[in-house]
Structure formats: C-alpha cells, structure tokens
Amino acid sequence: MSFPIKITGVKTVVVNAELRNWIFVKVETDQDGLYGWGEASLNWKTRAVTGTVEDLTPLVLGQDPRDIEHILRILNKHSYYRLGIVGATAISGIEHALWDIFGKSVGLPVWRLIGGRTRDKVRVYTHLGLGDMRSVYETFDEGALRDKALAVVEKGYDALKVVFIPYSGFSVDIPSRRHVGRLMRVLREAVGDRVDIMIDFHGRPASIAAALQFIEELAPYAPMFCEEPVLPGDTEALRLVTERAGCPIASGERLIGFKEFEPLFRQNALHIVQPDLNHTGGILEGKRIAAAAEQAFMGVAPHNPNGPIAGAAALHFDVSTPNFVIQEEMSGAVPWYDDVVSVPMRRTGSYWAVPEAPGLGVEINEAEAAKHPFVQEPFHTQGAVLPDGTIADW
C-alpha cells in the first residue's frame, strides 16, 4: 500500500493461560481490515503493562504504522521518564504489531522486511513438562527429572532446558553441589549425547564462587550453556564466571535495550546473549543487539517463555538473524491454545519451519480469548527462602 495509513487505536486483550497472563496488543488503522497483533506479556505485571499501553497510545495515534523507527523514538523520547521493564515491554508489544501491519500492507512475512532469510529452519528447545510451568520450576527429584526429560525427547525435541539449581546464598554446602551433579548425570544418561541440555540458574547464586561451584558439577556433562549464573547487571561478575567456567555461558533475558547489552560485548562477558523480544524493546532493538553480538563473536538464543505472539515475533527474528543459535518456546502451554490463536510456528522434530504468510502470520479469536479473562497469576516464589529464613533470588 503506497497511500498513507494512520493508526486509529491501540488496545490490549488479556488472556489468562493458567500460570501466566498473555497480554496481546492490537494496533488498528484507518484501512479496512488492516491491523496488527503484538504481545507484551510480563510476569506479575499485567495491570502495569496494560495501563502503560493505554498511557502510550495517544503518542502513536495518527502516525503511519510503517514508520517503525520514528514511532519507537516517539515512545521512548516523549515519555520523558525512563520506562524500565514495564514500559519496554509495552513498547515491544506495540512494535510487534507495527511489523505485523507493515508485512500485511506489502504482502510479505516480517522476516523479509528485517533482513531476509538466513536459514531454512529454526532450531527450538522446550522445558520439562512441555509448557507446564509447574514442571519447569519444581523438578528436583531424580526420577521425575528423568521421566519428564524423556517425555520431551519422545515429542521430537533434541534440546531441553532445566531449572534445578537450588536457592543459594553466598556459599553452597557440599550436599547441594553434589545433588546438582547427580541430577545432571541422571539427565545426561537418560537423553544421551545427541540431546542438548541447558541449565537455567535464574541468577540464584549470590556470589561468583557459588556459581562456579555449581558449574564445576555440571561441566563434565557438556551442557549447551549455563544460563544467568549470576544476577544481571554486574558485567564484571559475569565476565569472571565466563572466564573460569568449563562450558558456554548465556545471559540477557532481564536486560532492556542495546544500552544494557553493550557492556557485555565490550568486556566479552559471555558466549551467548539472550534478549527477550517481548521485553527489550521489540524486534528492531533485538536486531541491533544481535548485530553487536556477532561482532563480539557471540551467538543469540532469544529468551521466550511468553505467549504465542511473542513466539511468532521470535520466529521471524530467528529466520533473519545470522548468529542465531536456538530458540526457547512454550507452545501448547494450555489445552485451548489453538482455539484462541492461530500461529505460524510449525514444528517438525526440534525445528520450526520458515513461515510465508504476510506479517507475523498470527490471528487472535477475540471471542475465544474473552473466555479466559485476567486472573492474578500465582506467585511460585514462596520456596525462594534459605534455611535460616533469608529471602533468596527466585
């Protein structure tokens, strides 16, 4: 479409997916039938994000949705106060929808507009439980770990992620370290060497020494990477862990925008960056991060435990990004997933196919979505307490 297009409205649709709320963002235009979908889901911040989208909407009304860089500058610079993770997530959802509109307006998939094809298929991994969040965060038993891992492999995946690092302080007792080693050994023996294993530390170790003690137990079993071994924000600590670890280190899901990633590249602080396109500012900001990562000899493995539109946005990013490594995905997280949303992700084994539909290739059934309204998500952080009662990082 060569004629002007104007944004006429922005709205959110919240869908409760049991242990999290999906926040879908719909950007409407003055062209009949031309609209875009994005996602701005953020754990335990649903009302904050939807309110922020509402607050930002007046800034984009009347703008041409295809002028994405221009609109992003408006949203970031005319907000005056720095927006933080809530604002960046709201902007990400709006930005996804703008790309969806742009692709539909020219009849092309988004990946064609952000660099074109760099691969023929996109490798993905999932978590224990195949989308069941209870399995993701509560598998510390050796037998349950083995069974759930084998169930993932039986579904065709050749890569999976686990979270079995205990809540930790500044030091780690020997039994806790040995238990992590046993869990990793059981897991590797169960799935064999042809399946990649990633271990998410969730930033639980409170010191470099504690992180390295756990990594020492894991490294002999060749993890694909250890994720977020220390809390984000301390680049020097992450660099020291990376230098001493006997395996690849990944991090980045909680960072916002290129500015927060830049020190990691400058200091060679890790091996794989994990921007979340749902939180870091959107697809365009993700491309900037990926380009800088490539110059620093780092791969990109986007974080995404979010909803279906976030997965679609990640798919288009992955197709067009040369230093992409592997994609986290959570498809099928609820039984009615396909009733609410149609998505372009089509999995064969451990790969998504390259989509060809215009835009992001997503459609929401708003009538079905309305059957699953907002519910306060459960806080599964109660166990993040040390034996003496000290609150630990979840």
Side-chain angles (χ1 to χ4, degrees):
M1 296 182 182
S2 59
F3 48 82
I5 305 172
K6 291 185 178 181
I7 296 173
T8 58
V10 181
K11 72 173 188 178
T12 55
V13 176
V14 176
V15 177
N16 178 255
E18 297 182 1
L19 291 185
R20 69 175 66 228
N21 286 298
W22 295 333
I23 305 172
F24 299 147
V25 180
K26 186 178 186 180
V27 175
E28 300 167 326
T29 76
D30 61 353
Q31 305 300 312
D32 288 343
L34 182 60
Y35 54 83
W37 285 106
E39 183 172 337
S41 304
L42 183 61
N43 302 8
W44 310 313
K45 306 293 188 297
T46 300
R47 286 160 291 204
V49 173
T50 56
T52 302
V53 172
E54 186 175 354
D55 287 339
L56 293 173
T57 293
L59 294 174
V60 303
L61 295 179
Q63 297 291 332
D64 189 319
R66 299 167 296 183
D67 295 332
I68 298 173
E69 185 80 74
H70 178 68
I71 291 173
L72 289 175
R73 288 179 68 82
I74 291 172
L75 291 171
N76 281 288
K77 292 183 176 297
H78 288 181
S79 295
Y80 184 61
Y81 292 104
R82 294 297 172 255
L83 294 170
I85 187 64
V86 171
T89 301
I91 289 174
S92 298
I94 294 170
E95 192 249 23
H96 295 165
L98 300 181
W99 282 112
D100 193 29
I101 291 170
F102 191 5
K104 290 173 180 175
S105 74
V106 294
L108 293 173
V110 167
W111 59 263
R112 284 284 184 199
L113 308 177
I114 56 175
R117 184 197 299 259
T118 64
R119 56 186 36 81
D120 297 327
K121 55 185 179 179
V122 171
R123 192 181 183 204
V124 299
Y125 70 90
T126 193
H127 296 257
L128 302 183
L130 298 164
D132 178 358
M133 297 298 289
R134 284 169 288 262
S135 296
V136 173
Y137 296 112
E138 298 177 10
T139 308
F140 293 93
D141 174 76
E142 294 175 29
L145 179 69
R146 180 189 301 107
D147 293 344
K148 291 175 181 178
L150 290 174
V152 171
V153 176
E154 287 170 5
K155 288 290 187 179
Y157 291 94
D158 64 9
L160 57 89
K161 183 188 284 184
V162 295
V163 185
F164 55 45
I165 301 300
Y167 300 109
S168 311
F170 288 87
S171 62
V172 183
D173 60 75
I174 293 174
S176 295
R177 290 156 48 190
R178 297 288 184 260
H179 183 57
V180 166
R182 286 194 301 273
L183 290 172
M184 187 63 179
R185 184 188 72 242
V186 165
L187 191 57
R188 177 57 73 198
E189 290 175 351
V191 303
D193 290 344
R194 295 184 180 274
V195 174
D196 279 315
I197 301 169
M198 290 143 277
I199 299 91
D200 190 348
F201 280 51
H202 245 236
R204 291 174 180 175
S207 68
I208 295 168
L212 288 171
Q213 286 176 318
F214 284 127
I215 291 171
E216 185 178 5
E217 296 286 341
L218 298 165
Y221 303 99
M224 185 176 187
F225 56 72
C226 288
E227 176 177 329
E228 213 173 45
V230 291
L231 283 173
D234 190 332
T235 302
E236 179 65 10
L238 185 59
R239 183 187 66 81
L240 290 170
V241 171
T242 298
E243 286 183 350
R244 292 161 172 77
C247 64
I249 299 298
S251 192
E253 69 182 69
R254 291 191 253 185
L255 301 182
I256 304 170
F258 178 83
K259 187 173 291 186
E260 292 193 1
F261 278 88
E262 192 276 334
L264 303 178
F265 308 139
R266 184 161 24 90
Q267 296 188 42
N268 295 307
L270 75 174
H271 304 105
I272 296 173
V273 295
Q274 297 176 292
D276 190 317
L277 306 176
N278 204 146
H279 303 317
T280 199
I283 296 171
L284 198 57
E285 194 72 1
K287 294 291 288 187
R288 293 190 181 105
I289 292 164
E294 186 175 23
Q295 294 305 305
F297 300 97
M298 297 178 188
V300 181
H303 176 260
N304 178 42
N306 306 305
I309 303 180
L315 169 58
H316 288 268
F317 171 90
D318 301 339
V319 171
S320 66
T321 301
N323 54 329
F324 164 77
V325 177
I326 195 167
Q327 177 64 54
E328 180 177 19
E329 67 104 16
M330 297 284 279
S331 60
V334 286
W336 38 264
Y337 187 99
D338 294 328
D339 297 333
V340 168
V341 59
S342 62
V343 293
M345 293 88 81
R346 297 291 177 265
R347 183 174 64 87
T348 301
S350 207
Y351 290 89
W352 281 342
V354 175
E356 295 294 345
L360 291 177
V362 173
E363 192 53 67
I364 303 297
N365 185 325
E366 294 189 56
E368 287 294 325
K371 296 177 182 179
H372 307 279
F374 169 82
V375 176
Q376 174 63 60
E377 312 98 311
F379 280 81
H380 36 275
T381 57
Q382 290 86 348
V385 181
L386 301 183
D388 66 356
T390 301
I391 297 297
D393 287 294
W394 176 64

